[in-house]
Amino acid sequence: MTATKDFKMLIGGNWVSTNGTTFSDYNPANGEVWAEIPNASRDDARSAIEAANAAFDGWKSLPYTERAAYMLKAADVLEKRTPDFAAIMSAEGGSWFGKCMFEAGYVVGMLRAAAAITYQATGEILPSDHGKVNMIVRVPLGVVSVISPWNFPLILSMRGIAFAIALGNTVVLKPSEETPVAGGLFLAELFEEAGLPEGVLNVVTCSRENVEEVGDELVTNPLVRGVSFTGSTAVGRQVAAKAAGQLKRFAMELGGKDALIILDDADMDRAVDTAVFG
């Protein structure tokens, strides 16, 4: 099945193209082109960061109960649109139906957990030697870049987005070039339908050829205050080094931990089923 939609990126509340520059999004099951996706440049990434920064003051000033309500609305929208996600992820990511349903269901719960966490961003009163009030107050960072992978794109994109947004930050998301819709543009649609204010979430998509310059902008731009990266250890080292060099906060989940060991006395049918499920 080929996607019939004309996909665009979401920047500052506007669906934008890249002057006709696209890259092909392939169906891994048959090798055919499933969709043409906007191929962002460094300038597009910079525009998305600036849009997120412009939206930050208004978003952080909203009462936490209102930010929580947006998360709950997004959860309801995803629950309604789970069949849409399953169709996209099957065609774009090669996932089987059960995995698609698990992923969507998990993220519905994640969004509701993000709504709950807005009630927990409490400060502390510290002891004082001089009879003064000594407080710790928690405030949002600002613009957060989220760079996510292809294997569980909805979960791993939303994990970076939902909690950051719920706590008053604004986000620029760059999904994997393997799953730019399931891990990026579909999420933009969800939050737009939930009524999220313009610029709070921005999504840029790019080809593998452009990912170095786009990714570098998302990490090194001085308006970006935090970086969430999920991917390979090799790329993660580069991201962490660049972020640390500017004293930015970063969160990493890197690859290489899922060994599968099958011993000589194992039930091979069960072992194979377990490997396929994993």
Side-chain angles (χ1 to χ4, degrees):
M1 179 185 70
T2 302
T4 58
K5 188 168 183 175
D6 179 20
F7 289 106
K8 295 183 178 181
M9 302 184 298
L10 185 66
I11 297 179
N14 299 309
W15 292 98
V16 300
S17 59
T18 51
N19 297 318
T21 305
T22 63
F23 67 97
S24 296
D25 185 10
Y26 291 93
N27 182 331
N30 56 26
E32 296 177 356
V33 174
W34 179 68
E36 292 294 330
I37 305 296
N39 192 11
S41 65
R42 189 175 200 121
D43 287 342
D44 293 315
R46 188 177 297 116
S47 295
I49 292 166
E50 291 169 355
N53 187 62
F56 175 58
D57 284 343
W59 179 246
K60 75 175 182 180
S61 300
L62 280 185
Y64 68 91
T65 49
E66 291 187 29
R67 284 187 267 112
Y70 283 112
M71 298 301 106
L72 294 174
K73 178 61 175 175
D76 292 343
V77 173
L78 176 56
E79 203 163 42
K80 178 185 71 176
R81 295 196 58 187
T82 291
D84 296 339
F85 171 74
I88 292 167
M89 191 58 194
S90 296
E92 181 184 56
S95 290
W96 57 290
F97 181 76
K99 186 259 192 186
C100 297
M101 298 302 289
F102 163 77
E103 192 168 359
Y106 191 95
V107 171
V108 168
M110 185 186 294
L111 285 163
R112 290 173 179 157
I117 207 171
T118 64
Y119 290 76
Q120 300 173 35
T122 54
E124 298 176 63
I125 302 294
L126 301 180
S128 171
D129 290 342
H130 307 290
K132 305 291 185 181
V133 176
N134 198 3
M135 296 188 299
I136 292 176
V137 179
R138 302 189 187 277
V139 297
L141 277 175
V143 179
V144 175
S145 293
V146 177
I147 303 172
S148 61
W150 57 268
N151 55 339
F152 275 85
L154 186 62
I155 289 177
L156 297 178
S157 292
M158 192 66 82
R159 182 180 62 182
I161 291 171
F163 298 98
I165 288 177
L167 293 173
N169 302 287
T170 54
V171 168
V172 178
L173 167 67
K174 189 209 79 64
S176 167
E177 63 275 9
E178 304 289 346
T179 51
V181 180
L185 302 179
F186 178 72
L187 283 77
E189 290 181 7
L190 292 180
F191 278 106
E192 183 183 59
E193 188 171 341
L196 193 71
E198 296 179 355
V200 175
L201 173 63
N202 307 270
V203 180
V204 293
T205 55
C206 70
S207 65
R208 187 161 295 179
E209 289 72 25
N210 284 13
V211 73
E212 184 173 353
E213 67 173 44
V214 170
D216 186 68
E217 185 68 24
L218 292 176
V219 175
T220 62
N221 187 297
L223 295 177
V224 173
R225 303 296 303 278
V227 180
S228 171
F229 174 83
T230 306
S232 70
T233 301
V235 176
R237 284 194 181 101
Q238 298 175 42
V239 172
K242 290 179 179 180
Q246 297 187 10
L247 301 179
K248 295 183 180 185
R249 297 191 183 187
F250 57 89
M252 303 277 157
E253 182 188 343
L254 307 181
K257 301 185 290 296
D258 287 340
L260 174 64
I261 300 172
I262 301 175
L263 302 179
D264 290 340
D265 61 347
D267 178 336
M268 289 304 297
D269 288 340
R270 184 176 179 187
V272 170
D273 286 345
T274 301
V276 170
F277 179 81

